[in-house]
Amino acid sequence: MDVEDGDDAVDADDADDSLGGVTADGPEPEEMFASGPEVEVELRPQRRLRIWQLAPIVALAATGSLMFAFPLAFDFGDSGAVIAMLGLLICSCAAGWGMMAARRVGTTWPGLPARGSGRRPDWRVVLAYVVLVAAVVSLAVWRVARLR
């Protein structure tokens, strides 16, 4: 059945009111924030290291530590110094790999500001880390040099 323009036609606004037409869903803008201020919620999951990221780092660190520790503890003759230095190198590589992986997920060293915060690190904390690393490296090199 055709509807012609004329008296039988119904205005669009009247159709919504009189015929139970479609209305907008949801509350009005004034009603949306009647309960209090707007709150933001983080929807992304927390970034953290997964087991597949940690496994090679831990394996390399353990292998390097054993290669470094056994020649130092048991004095394996002439090749002990070479094996110990290779173990120290592998252990250091694993430590660097672990630091880069931790930095990638947003973890920082204790006492240092978070990445992107705009704050400068405290020079005393940086100096303490440099002294600690220098002491460990110098003790390791001194011990390996004593093997020869």
Side-chain angles (χ1 to χ4, degrees):
M1 183 168 152
D2 289 358
V3 177
E4 298 177 10
D5 290 339
D7 295 336
D8 295 336
V10 180
D11 192 12
D13 292 335
D14 293 339
D16 286 343
D17 295 337
S18 62
L19 300 176
V22 178
T23 60
D25 288 341
E28 293 296 322
E30 297 82 26
E31 297 171 355
M32 288 178 61
F33 304 113
S35 62
E38 185 176 350
V39 178
E40 292 184 23
V41 177
E42 184 67 37
L43 297 177
R44 291 180 292 170
Q46 188 177 21
R47 296 173 69 183
R48 58 185 162 183
L49 289 174
R50 306 280 189 244
I51 189 68
W52 61 269
Q53 293 170 315
L54 287 175
I57 296 169
V58 170
L60 274 177
T63 303
S65 297
L66 290 175
M67 286 178 69
F68 182 62
F70 272 97
L72 297 179
F74 300 115
D75 196 16
F76 287 153
D78 293 338
S79 64
V82 174
I83 293 172
M85 286 306 286
L86 182 61
L88 181 62
L89 177 67
I90 291 173
C91 193
S92 299
C93 289
W97 191 5
M99 287 189 314
M100 290 307 293
R103 184 174 182 220
R104 187 164 198 154
V105 298
T107 306
T108 61
W109 286 57
L112 296 178
R115 223 169 96 187
S117 68
R119 297 183 316 177
R120 295 178 52 97
D122 187 13
W123 65 271
R124 293 173 291 212
V125 175
V126 173
L127 182 65
Y129 282 128
V130 168
V131 167
L132 181 68
V133 168
V136 168
V137 169
S138 63
L139 286 173
V141 170
W142 176 65
R143 178 62 178 123
V144 170
R146 282 191 47 197
L147 286 177
R148 297 194 135 229

